[in-house]
Amino acid sequence: FYLTPPQVNSILKANEYSFKVPEFDGKNVSSVLGFDSNQLPANAPIEDRRSAATCLQTRGMLLGVFDGHAGCACAQAVSERLFYYIAVSLLPHETLLEIENAVESGRALLPILQWHKHPNDYFSKEASKLYFNSLRTYWQELIDLNSGETTDVKEALINAFKRLDNDISLEAQVGDPNSFLNYLVLRVAFSGATACVAHVDGVDLHIANTGDSRAMLGVQEEDGSWSAVNLSYDHNAQNEHEVERVKMEHPKSEEKSLVKQDRLLGLLMPFRAFGDVKFKWSIELQKRVVESGPDQLNDNEYTKFIPPNYHTPPYLTAEPEVIHHKLRPQDKFLVLATDGLWETMHRQDVARIVGEYLTGVHHQQPIAVGGYKVTLGQMHGLLTERRARISSVFEDQNAATHLIRHAVGNNEFGTVDHERLSKMLSLPEELARMYRDDITIIVVQFNSHVIGACQNEE
């Protein structure tokens, strides 16, 4: 089944979104110029989510990618809720009081976030009241705890992640008299999601990561070439520190059963995630909730089984690892992406492809044919293709789309092979998942002039 280039483009562009930060009276005060984002599903429905918002009561911008597993319910809830928890954690005491007083007296609330959403980015209307009440309880507690100190961004991010995960767990234990909502909160808690979130404020970039999505900085070197700087670490079996952390938290007798076949308790790939109460609750609590829950929950095999060697829960945490980076003029962009991208591409290639796309300048690397026997005809073809690539204006208007095109269609020479792209995109739903994962990407472009000016002021 062969797709024409226009058909390929319509599939690739279906979920693309771009946002340019507006300029204020001719002076752009944000260190962010704008961002491009896109998603390509492999699962039906897609289990990845993405979010982007400007914080209105504090400074800064929030961007995040969320990779769901065992369904999309948890990723959906986290994509809707986490930024509110972060924003509230960052708010000064007076603003929290103002917001609480407004709710008390039924006045209009100060808007906390300005969302930048694609029409496909859905928000669950039915749960909004429940979500709001949990958030309100959180800010009431913050008001009572008022220490008078300004909140540290790192601390705010960690508190927000942990608190939201706690609320997801609590809502599922309490249940809801409305049967639709009751089933929803249980589906959210029993599914799971990883999260990789960026908070950008001036030259301060914080990355909070839970799980195996990644953040990577694209840096332009003095000679114009591109390099990649990792700003997050995967929380999985490939990360020795993470394996050690898990082992430290459980008795020595469990050492052999904690990580099997590179999975937590032999089942879960990420070692940190939201939801996934099967790895957090005691066996008694799991049984009680499932038995008293709706029938749909009882019929679901996943909720019934208990993980093997389940002795000392919790085995899983949503606590993020936070990395702080001071932006420099040579830091040109940030890529946030779910593991669907990193499984197919090396970060160095990601940095080069995005860098060349944003600047429109191709660095002529010698054509590498790495051990392949190449005929003169093929060599001629590669050179012709290279010439065409330079002369053609990029077909994508969106850096994330451009990256997805490479992730799915790259051949062994590092160029996009239209035939391969066409084949990969025309795979039927049940096959697509065997070849790749959902891919979600946000590419944030920085304003080097503003960053340079900020540096000089400091």
Side-chain angles (χ1 to χ4, degrees), residues 5-6 8-14 16 18 36 38 353 356-358 360 392-407 416 421:
V8 165
N9 283 347
S10 73
I11 293 172
L12 287 180
K13 293 171 187 288
E16 69 179 12
S18 289
D36 289 341
N38 201 349
I353 287 164
E356 290 180 353
Y357 170 85
L358 292 175
S392 74
V393 180
F394 285 111
E395 52 200 315
D396 296 314
Q397 306 302 301
N398 178 303
T401 308
H402 188 66
L403 205 42
I404 289 176
R405 188 183 298 276
H406 277 269
V416 175
L421 191 56

PDB file of all heavy atoms in Angstrom, residues 5-6 8-14 16 18 36 38 353 356-358 360 392-407 416 421:
ATOM      1  N   PRO A   5       3.112  11.506  -1.582  1.00  0.00           N
ATOM      2  CA  PRO A   5       3.664  12.530  -0.670  1.00  0.00           C
ATOM      3  C   PRO A   5       2.573  13.391  -0.001  1.00  0.00           C
ATOM      4  O   PRO A   5       2.657  13.625   1.209  1.00  0.00           O
ATOM      5  CB  PRO A   5       4.592  13.344  -1.571  1.00  0.00           C
ATOM      6  CG  PRO A   5       5.068  12.343  -2.582  1.00  0.00           C
ATOM      7  CD  PRO A   5       3.879  11.456  -2.854  1.00  0.00           C
ATOM      8  N   PRO A   6       1.544  13.850  -0.716  1.00  0.00           N
ATOM      9  CA  PRO A   6       0.509  14.625  -0.011  1.00  0.00           C
ATOM     10  C   PRO A   6      -0.208  13.815   1.075  1.00  0.00           C
ATOM     11  O   PRO A   6      -0.547  14.361   2.132  1.00  0.00           O
ATOM     12  CB  PRO A   6      -0.477  15.019  -1.128  1.00  0.00           C
ATOM     13  CG  PRO A   6       0.324  14.961  -2.385  1.00  0.00           C
ATOM     14  CD  PRO A   6       1.321  13.857  -2.184  1.00  0.00           C
ATOM     15  N   VAL A   8       1.133  11.322   2.816  1.00  0.00           N
ATOM     16  CA  VAL A   8       2.110  11.226   3.911  1.00  0.00           C
ATOM     17  C   VAL A   8       2.069  12.521   4.733  1.00  0.00           C
ATOM     18  O   VAL A   8       1.996  12.505   5.963  1.00  0.00           O
ATOM     19  CB  VAL A   8       3.547  10.993   3.362  1.00  0.00           C
ATOM     20  CG1 VAL A   8       4.594  11.263   4.431  1.00  0.00           C
ATOM     21  CG2 VAL A   8       3.670   9.555   2.859  1.00  0.00           C
ATOM     22  N   ASN A   9       2.090  13.662   4.023  1.00  0.00           N
ATOM     23  CA  ASN A   9       2.080  14.952   4.717  1.00  0.00           C
ATOM     24  C   ASN A   9       0.826  15.142   5.560  1.00  0.00           C
ATOM     25  O   ASN A   9       0.895  15.654   6.672  1.00  0.00           O
ATOM     26  CB  ASN A   9       2.228  16.108   3.725  1.00  0.00           C
ATOM     27  CG  ASN A   9       3.669  16.243   3.265  1.00  0.00           C
ATOM     28  OD1 ASN A   9       4.569  15.651   3.863  1.00  0.00           O
ATOM     29  ND2 ASN A   9       3.896  16.993   2.209  1.00  0.00           N
ATOM     30  N   SER A  10      -0.325  14.715   5.036  1.00  0.00           N
ATOM     31  CA  SER A  10      -1.550  14.949   5.817  1.00  0.00           C
ATOM     32  C   SER A  10      -1.554  14.099   7.091  1.00  0.00           C
ATOM     33  O   SER A  10      -2.038  14.539   8.129  1.00  0.00           O
ATOM     34  CB  SER A  10      -2.803  14.727   4.973  1.00  0.00           C
ATOM     35  OG  SER A  10      -2.975  13.360   4.743  1.00  0.00           O
ATOM     36  N   ILE A  11      -0.956  12.903   7.027  1.00  0.00           N
ATOM     37  CA  ILE A  11      -0.850  12.075   8.251  1.00  0.00           C
ATOM     38  C   ILE A  11       0.115  12.737   9.235  1.00  0.00           C
ATOM     39  O   ILE A  11      -0.163  12.881  10.422  1.00  0.00           O
ATOM     40  CB  ILE A  11      -0.365  10.642   7.915  1.00  0.00           C
ATOM     41  CG1 ILE A  11      -1.426   9.902   7.103  1.00  0.00           C
ATOM     42  CG2 ILE A  11      -0.032   9.864   9.198  1.00  0.00           C
ATOM     43  CD1 ILE A  11      -0.958   8.553   6.561  1.00  0.00           C
ATOM     44  N   LEU A  12       1.277  13.164   8.721  1.00  0.00           N
ATOM     45  CA  LEU A  12       2.307  13.738   9.593  1.00  0.00           C
ATOM     46  C   LEU A  12       1.865  15.062  10.222  1.00  0.00           C
ATOM     47  O   LEU A  12       2.268  15.392  11.331  1.00  0.00           O
ATOM     48  CB  LEU A  12       3.606  13.969   8.811  1.00  0.00           C
ATOM     49  CG  LEU A  12       4.414  12.721   8.438  1.00  0.00           C
ATOM     50  CD1 LEU A  12       5.662  13.120   7.672  1.00  0.00           C
ATOM     51  CD2 LEU A  12       4.797  11.908   9.675  1.00  0.00           C
ATOM     52  N   LYS A  13       1.037  15.826   9.512  1.00  0.00           N
ATOM     53  CA  LYS A  13       0.696  17.174   9.980  1.00  0.00           C
ATOM     54  C   LYS A  13      -0.591  17.225  10.796  1.00  0.00           C
ATOM     55  O   LYS A  13      -0.966  18.294  11.300  1.00  0.00           O
ATOM     56  CB  LYS A  13       0.592  18.135   8.784  1.00  0.00           C
ATOM     57  CG  LYS A  13       1.935  18.374   8.089  1.00  0.00           C
ATOM     58  CD  LYS A  13       1.753  19.152   6.786  1.00  0.00           C
ATOM     59  CE  LYS A  13       3.036  19.246   5.989  1.00  0.00           C
ATOM     60  NZ  LYS A  13       4.044  20.134   6.540  1.00  0.00           N
ATOM     61  N   ALA A  14      -1.267  16.073  10.939  1.00  0.00           N
ATOM     62  CA  ALA A  14      -2.606  16.085  11.561  1.00  0.00           C
ATOM     63  C   ALA A  14      -2.611  16.679  12.967  1.00  0.00           C
ATOM     64  O   ALA A  14      -3.567  17.337  13.365  1.00  0.00           O
ATOM     65  CB  ALA A  14      -3.169  14.661  11.582  1.00  0.00           C
ATOM     66  N   GLU A  16      -0.060  18.689  14.343  1.00  0.00           N
ATOM     67  CA  GLU A  16       0.995  19.668  14.598  1.00  0.00           C
ATOM     68  C   GLU A  16       0.415  20.969  15.169  1.00  0.00           C
ATOM     69  O   GLU A  16      -0.717  21.344  14.887  1.00  0.00           O
ATOM     70  CB  GLU A  16       1.865  19.902  13.363  1.00  0.00           C
ATOM     71  CG  GLU A  16       1.220  20.607  12.224  1.00  0.00           C
ATOM     72  CD  GLU A  16       2.180  20.809  11.038  1.00  0.00           C
ATOM     73  OE1 GLU A  16       3.270  20.222  11.001  1.00  0.00           O
ATOM     74  OE2 GLU A  16       1.801  21.572  10.140  1.00  0.00           O
ATOM     75  N   SER A  18       1.855  25.036  16.559  1.00  0.00           N
ATOM     76  CA  SER A  18       2.969  25.975  16.760  1.00  0.00           C
ATOM     77  C   SER A  18       2.491  27.167  17.557  1.00  0.00           C
ATOM     78  O   SER A  18       1.338  27.586  17.407  1.00  0.00           O
ATOM     79  CB  SER A  18       3.495  26.487  15.412  1.00  0.00           C
ATOM     80  OG  SER A  18       4.173  25.443  14.759  1.00  0.00           O
ATOM     81  N   ASP A  36       7.245  24.393  18.611  1.00  0.00           N
ATOM     82  CA  ASP A  36       6.494  23.551  17.680  1.00  0.00           C
ATOM     83  C   ASP A  36       6.249  22.230  18.388  1.00  0.00           C
ATOM     84  O   ASP A  36       7.155  21.721  19.066  1.00  0.00           O
ATOM     85  CB  ASP A  36       7.324  23.245  16.420  1.00  0.00           C
ATOM     86  CG  ASP A  36       7.498  24.472  15.534  1.00  0.00           C
ATOM     87  OD1 ASP A  36       6.719  25.426  15.690  1.00  0.00           O
ATOM     88  OD2 ASP A  36       8.417  24.462  14.682  1.00  0.00           O
ATOM     89  N   ASN A  38       4.179  18.167  17.992  1.00  0.00           N
ATOM     90  CA  ASN A  38       3.445  17.233  17.134  1.00  0.00           C
ATOM     91  C   ASN A  38       3.416  15.854  17.783  1.00  0.00           C
ATOM     92  O   ASN A  38       4.232  15.560  18.665  1.00  0.00           O
ATOM     93  CB  ASN A  38       4.106  17.141  15.748  1.00  0.00           C
ATOM     94  CG  ASN A  38       3.140  16.610  14.684  1.00  0.00           C
ATOM     95  OD1 ASN A  38       2.054  16.134  15.000  1.00  0.00           O
ATOM     96  ND2 ASN A  38       3.536  16.703  13.428  1.00  0.00           N
ATOM     97  N   ILE A 353      19.564  17.542  13.100  1.00  0.00           N
ATOM     98  CA  ILE A 353      18.402  17.694  12.210  1.00  0.00           C
ATOM     99  C   ILE A 353      17.585  18.929  12.592  1.00  0.00           C
ATOM    100  O   ILE A 353      17.188  19.720  11.734  1.00  0.00           O
ATOM    101  CB  ILE A 353      17.549  16.403  12.239  1.00  0.00           C
ATOM    102  CG1 ILE A 353      18.292  15.302  11.463  1.00  0.00           C
ATOM    103  CG2 ILE A 353      16.166  16.632  11.647  1.00  0.00           C
ATOM    104  CD1 ILE A 353      17.783  13.905  11.715  1.00  0.00           C
ATOM    105  N   GLU A 356      19.772  22.214  11.903  1.00  0.00           N
ATOM    106  CA  GLU A 356      19.817  22.564  10.479  1.00  0.00           C
ATOM    107  C   GLU A 356      18.459  23.053  10.009  1.00  0.00           C
ATOM    108  O   GLU A 356      18.358  23.962   9.187  1.00  0.00           O
ATOM    109  CB  GLU A 356      20.269  21.353   9.654  1.00  0.00           C
ATOM    110  CG  GLU A 356      21.735  21.011   9.879  1.00  0.00           C
ATOM    111  CD  GLU A 356      22.206  19.802   9.074  1.00  0.00           C
ATOM    112  OE1 GLU A 356      21.360  19.131   8.435  1.00  0.00           O
ATOM    113  OE2 GLU A 356      23.428  19.527   9.096  1.00  0.00           O
ATOM    114  N   TYR A 357      17.415  22.456  10.540  1.00  0.00           N
ATOM    115  CA  TYR A 357      16.059  22.877  10.157  1.00  0.00           C
ATOM    116  C   TYR A 357      15.817  24.326  10.595  1.00  0.00           C
ATOM    117  O   TYR A 357      15.324  25.150   9.820  1.00  0.00           O
ATOM    118  CB  TYR A 357      15.019  21.947  10.794  1.00  0.00           C
ATOM    119  CG  TYR A 357      13.620  22.482  10.633  1.00  0.00           C
ATOM    120  CD1 TYR A 357      12.896  22.227   9.469  1.00  0.00           C
ATOM    121  CD2 TYR A 357      13.037  23.276  11.619  1.00  0.00           C
ATOM    122  CE1 TYR A 357      11.627  22.755   9.295  1.00  0.00           C
ATOM    123  CE2 TYR A 357      11.770  23.803  11.446  1.00  0.00           C
ATOM    124  CZ  TYR A 357      11.061  23.542  10.285  1.00  0.00           C
ATOM    125  OH  TYR A 357       9.816  24.070  10.108  1.00  0.00           O
ATOM    126  N   LEU A 358      16.173  24.649  11.844  1.00  0.00           N
ATOM    127  CA  LEU A 358      15.884  25.993  12.368  1.00  0.00           C
ATOM    128  C   LEU A 358      16.732  27.068  11.707  1.00  0.00           C
ATOM    129  O   LEU A 358      16.288  28.199  11.537  1.00  0.00           O
ATOM    130  CB  LEU A 358      16.076  26.023  13.895  1.00  0.00           C
ATOM    131  CG  LEU A 358      15.071  25.205  14.716  1.00  0.00           C
ATOM    132  CD1 LEU A 358      15.450  25.228  16.190  1.00  0.00           C
ATOM    133  CD2 LEU A 358      13.646  25.719  14.538  1.00  0.00           C
ATOM    134  N   GLY A 360      18.250  26.593   8.691  1.00  0.00           N
ATOM    135  CA  GLY A 360      18.219  26.441   7.229  1.00  0.00           C
ATOM    136  C   GLY A 360      19.594  26.225   6.648  1.00  0.00           C
ATOM    137  O   GLY A 360      19.807  26.328   5.450  1.00  0.00           O
ATOM    138  N   SER A 392      15.720  22.546  -1.991  1.00  0.00           N
ATOM    139  CA  SER A 392      14.290  22.636  -1.667  1.00  0.00           C
ATOM    140  C   SER A 392      14.132  23.354  -0.336  1.00  0.00           C
ATOM    141  O   SER A 392      14.884  23.134   0.596  1.00  0.00           O
ATOM    142  CB  SER A 392      13.696  21.238  -1.541  1.00  0.00           C
ATOM    143  OG  SER A 392      14.120  20.652  -0.340  1.00  0.00           O
ATOM    144  N   VAL A 393      13.143  24.224  -0.299  1.00  0.00           N
ATOM    145  CA  VAL A 393      12.810  24.835   0.988  1.00  0.00           C
ATOM    146  C   VAL A 393      12.235  23.688   1.811  1.00  0.00           C
ATOM    147  O   VAL A 393      11.565  22.817   1.273  1.00  0.00           O
ATOM    148  CB  VAL A 393      11.733  25.924   0.782  1.00  0.00           C
ATOM    149  CG1 VAL A 393      11.366  26.585   2.084  1.00  0.00           C
ATOM    150  CG2 VAL A 393      12.247  26.948  -0.217  1.00  0.00           C
ATOM    151  N   PHE A 394      12.502  23.661   3.111  1.00  0.00           N
ATOM    152  CA  PHE A 394      11.987  22.542   3.914  1.00  0.00           C
ATOM    153  C   PHE A 394      10.494  22.385   3.706  1.00  0.00           C
ATOM    154  O   PHE A 394       9.752  23.346   3.753  1.00  0.00           O
ATOM    155  CB  PHE A 394      12.262  22.802   5.396  1.00  0.00           C
ATOM    156  CG  PHE A 394      13.687  22.586   5.758  1.00  0.00           C
ATOM    157  CD1 PHE A 394      14.490  23.655   6.105  1.00  0.00           C
ATOM    158  CD2 PHE A 394      14.240  21.324   5.737  1.00  0.00           C
ATOM    159  CE1 PHE A 394      15.826  23.461   6.438  1.00  0.00           C
ATOM    160  CE2 PHE A 394      15.563  21.123   6.071  1.00  0.00           C
ATOM    161  CZ  PHE A 394      16.369  22.193   6.416  1.00  0.00           C
ATOM    162  N   GLU A 395      10.054  21.130   3.528  1.00  0.00           N
ATOM    163  CA  GLU A 395       8.628  20.944   3.266  1.00  0.00           C
ATOM    164  C   GLU A 395       7.816  21.099   4.547  1.00  0.00           C
ATOM    165  O   GLU A 395       6.605  21.271   4.503  1.00  0.00           O
ATOM    166  CB  GLU A 395       8.385  19.582   2.630  1.00  0.00           C
ATOM    167  CG  GLU A 395       9.010  18.434   3.398  1.00  0.00           C
ATOM    168  CD  GLU A 395       9.184  17.191   2.534  1.00  0.00           C
ATOM    169  OE1 GLU A 395       8.231  16.849   1.810  1.00  0.00           O
ATOM    170  OE2 GLU A 395      10.250  16.553   2.602  1.00  0.00           O
ATOM    171  N   ASP A 396       8.457  21.010   5.696  1.00  0.00           N
ATOM    172  CA  ASP A 396       7.714  21.124   6.950  1.00  0.00           C
ATOM    173  C   ASP A 396       7.785  22.544   7.486  1.00  0.00           C
ATOM    174  O   ASP A 396       8.838  23.162   7.475  1.00  0.00           O
ATOM    175  CB  ASP A 396       8.295  20.152   7.994  1.00  0.00           C
ATOM    176  CG  ASP A 396       8.113  18.706   7.567  1.00  0.00           C
ATOM    177  OD1 ASP A 396       6.999  18.362   7.136  1.00  0.00           O
ATOM    178  OD2 ASP A 396       9.085  17.929   7.639  1.00  0.00           O
ATOM    179  N   GLN A 397       6.643  23.009   7.996  1.00  0.00           N
ATOM    180  CA  GLN A 397       6.607  24.331   8.631  1.00  0.00           C
ATOM    181  C   GLN A 397       6.805  24.181  10.138  1.00  0.00           C
ATOM    182  O   GLN A 397       6.685  25.132  10.883  1.00  0.00           O
ATOM    183  CB  GLN A 397       5.235  24.996   8.386  1.00  0.00           C
ATOM    184  CG  GLN A 397       4.846  25.075   6.919  1.00  0.00           C
ATOM    185  CD  GLN A 397       5.868  25.844   6.108  1.00  0.00           C
ATOM    186  OE1 GLN A 397       6.138  27.006   6.388  1.00  0.00           O
ATOM    187  NE2 GLN A 397       6.476  25.189   5.119  1.00  0.00           N
ATOM    188  N   ASN A 398       7.056  22.957  10.594  1.00  0.00           N
ATOM    189  CA  ASN A 398       7.044  22.671  12.016  1.00  0.00           C
ATOM    190  C   ASN A 398       8.234  21.761  12.336  1.00  0.00           C
ATOM    191  O   ASN A 398       8.393  20.700  11.722  1.00  0.00           O
ATOM    192  CB  ASN A 398       5.701  21.999  12.337  1.00  0.00           C
ATOM    193  CG  ASN A 398       5.535  21.587  13.783  1.00  0.00           C
ATOM    194  OD1 ASN A 398       6.334  20.836  14.334  1.00  0.00           O
ATOM    195  ND2 ASN A 398       4.470  22.049  14.409  1.00  0.00           N
ATOM    196  N   ALA A 399       9.077  22.192  13.282  1.00  0.00           N
ATOM    197  CA  ALA A 399      10.311  21.441  13.579  1.00  0.00           C
ATOM    198  C   ALA A 399      10.016  20.040  14.118  1.00  0.00           C
ATOM    199  O   ALA A 399      10.746  19.086  13.845  1.00  0.00           O
ATOM    200  CB  ALA A 399      11.159  22.220  14.590  1.00  0.00           C
ATOM    201  N   ALA A 400       8.922  19.903  14.888  1.00  0.00           N
ATOM    202  CA  ALA A 400       8.576  18.591  15.462  1.00  0.00           C
ATOM    203  C   ALA A 400       8.150  17.629  14.345  1.00  0.00           C
ATOM    204  O   ALA A 400       8.496  16.445  14.361  1.00  0.00           O
ATOM    205  CB  ALA A 400       7.467  18.741  16.501  1.00  0.00           C
ATOM    206  N   THR A 401       7.412  18.152  13.366  1.00  0.00           N
ATOM    207  CA  THR A 401       6.988  17.326  12.221  1.00  0.00           C
ATOM    208  C   THR A 401       8.221  16.876  11.445  1.00  0.00           C
ATOM    209  O   THR A 401       8.327  15.711  11.034  1.00  0.00           O
ATOM    210  CB  THR A 401       6.069  18.152  11.287  1.00  0.00           C
ATOM    211  OG1 THR A 401       5.022  18.720  12.064  1.00  0.00           O
ATOM    212  CG2 THR A 401       5.479  17.298  10.179  1.00  0.00           C
ATOM    213  N   HIS A 402       9.142  17.793  11.260  1.00  0.00           N
ATOM    214  CA  HIS A 402      10.376  17.496  10.517  1.00  0.00           C
ATOM    215  C   HIS A 402      11.144  16.355  11.208  1.00  0.00           C
ATOM    216  O   HIS A 402      11.672  15.448  10.551  1.00  0.00           O
ATOM    217  CB  HIS A 402      11.232  18.771  10.467  1.00  0.00           C
ATOM    218  CG  HIS A 402      12.428  18.651   9.591  1.00  0.00           C
ATOM    219  ND1 HIS A 402      12.344  18.504   8.224  1.00  0.00           N
ATOM    220  CD2 HIS A 402      13.758  18.648   9.882  1.00  0.00           C
ATOM    221  CE1 HIS A 402      13.563  18.405   7.712  1.00  0.00           C
ATOM    222  NE2 HIS A 402      14.436  18.494   8.696  1.00  0.00           N
ATOM    223  N   LEU A 403      11.150  16.390  12.524  1.00  0.00           N
ATOM    224  CA  LEU A 403      11.841  15.367  13.305  1.00  0.00           C
ATOM    225  C   LEU A 403      11.120  14.020  13.203  1.00  0.00           C
ATOM    226  O   LEU A 403      11.758  12.969  13.064  1.00  0.00           O
ATOM    227  CB  LEU A 403      11.909  15.840  14.764  1.00  0.00           C
ATOM    228  CG  LEU A 403      13.015  15.303  15.656  1.00  0.00           C
ATOM    229  CD1 LEU A 403      14.355  15.243  14.963  1.00  0.00           C
ATOM    230  CD2 LEU A 403      13.109  16.143  16.932  1.00  0.00           C
ATOM    231  N   ILE A 404       9.789  14.048  13.257  1.00  0.00           N
ATOM    232  CA  ILE A 404       9.013  12.799  13.137  1.00  0.00           C
ATOM    233  C   ILE A 404       9.247  12.176  11.758  1.00  0.00           C
ATOM    234  O   ILE A 404       9.405  10.963  11.625  1.00  0.00           O
ATOM    235  CB  ILE A 404       7.509  13.051  13.389  1.00  0.00           C
ATOM    236  CG1 ILE A 404       7.276  13.362  14.876  1.00  0.00           C
ATOM    237  CG2 ILE A 404       6.677  11.831  12.968  1.00  0.00           C
ATOM    238  CD1 ILE A 404       5.843  13.722  15.244  1.00  0.00           C
ATOM    239  N   ARG A 405       9.306  13.027  10.735  1.00  0.00           N
ATOM    240  CA  ARG A 405       9.539  12.523   9.366  1.00  0.00           C
ATOM    241  C   ARG A 405      10.860  11.735   9.333  1.00  0.00           C
ATOM    242  O   ARG A 405      10.950  10.659   8.745  1.00  0.00           O
ATOM    243  CB  ARG A 405       9.594  13.707   8.398  1.00  0.00           C
ATOM    244  CG  ARG A 405       9.643  13.327   6.931  1.00  0.00           C
ATOM    245  CD  ARG A 405       9.774  14.558   6.046  1.00  0.00           C
ATOM    246  NE  ARG A 405       8.648  15.467   6.148  1.00  0.00           N
ATOM    247  CZ  ARG A 405       7.510  15.343   5.461  1.00  0.00           C
ATOM    248  NH1 ARG A 405       7.351  14.333   4.623  1.00  0.00           N
ATOM    249  NH2 ARG A 405       6.537  16.231   5.612  1.00  0.00           N
ATOM    250  N   HIS A 406      11.890  12.280   9.997  1.00  0.00           N
ATOM    251  CA  HIS A 406      13.190  11.579  10.051  1.00  0.00           C
ATOM    252  C   HIS A 406      13.123  10.333  10.917  1.00  0.00           C
ATOM    253  O   HIS A 406      13.684   9.297  10.577  1.00  0.00           O
ATOM    254  CB  HIS A 406      14.280  12.526  10.573  1.00  0.00           C
ATOM    255  CG  HIS A 406      14.844  13.415   9.512  1.00  0.00           C
ATOM    256  ND1 HIS A 406      15.940  13.071   8.769  1.00  0.00           N
ATOM    257  CD2 HIS A 406      14.431  14.622   9.048  1.00  0.00           C
ATOM    258  CE1 HIS A 406      16.204  14.035   7.886  1.00  0.00           C
ATOM    259  NE2 HIS A 406      15.302  14.995   8.042  1.00  0.00           N
ATOM    260  N   ALA A 407      12.436  10.444  12.056  1.00  0.00           N
ATOM    261  CA  ALA A 407      12.381   9.306  12.989  1.00  0.00           C
ATOM    262  C   ALA A 407      11.740   8.087  12.328  1.00  0.00           C
ATOM    263  O   ALA A 407      12.157   6.958  12.556  1.00  0.00           O
ATOM    264  CB  ALA A 407      11.595   9.699  14.241  1.00  0.00           C
ATOM    265  N   VAL A 416      15.831  10.897   4.553  1.00  0.00           N
ATOM    266  CA  VAL A 416      14.459  10.380   4.576  1.00  0.00           C
ATOM    267  C   VAL A 416      14.182   9.628   3.285  1.00  0.00           C
ATOM    268  O   VAL A 416      14.355  10.148   2.189  1.00  0.00           O
ATOM    269  CB  VAL A 416      13.438  11.532   4.762  1.00  0.00           C
ATOM    270  CG1 VAL A 416      12.033  10.998   4.662  1.00  0.00           C
ATOM    271  CG2 VAL A 416      13.652  12.206   6.110  1.00  0.00           C
ATOM    272  N   LEU A 421       8.999   5.693   4.555  1.00  0.00           N
ATOM    273  CA  LEU A 421       8.054   6.534   5.288  1.00  0.00           C
ATOM    274  C   LEU A 421       6.624   6.109   4.947  1.00  0.00           C
ATOM    275  O   LEU A 421       5.778   5.926   5.835  1.00  0.00           O
ATOM    276  CB  LEU A 421       8.295   7.997   4.904  1.00  0.00           C
ATOM    277  CG  LEU A 421       7.603   9.082   5.717  1.00  0.00           C
ATOM    278  CD1 LEU A 421       7.948   8.956   7.192  1.00  0.00           C
ATOM    279  CD2 LEU A 421       7.996  10.466   5.208  1.00  0.00           C
TER     280      LEU A 421
END
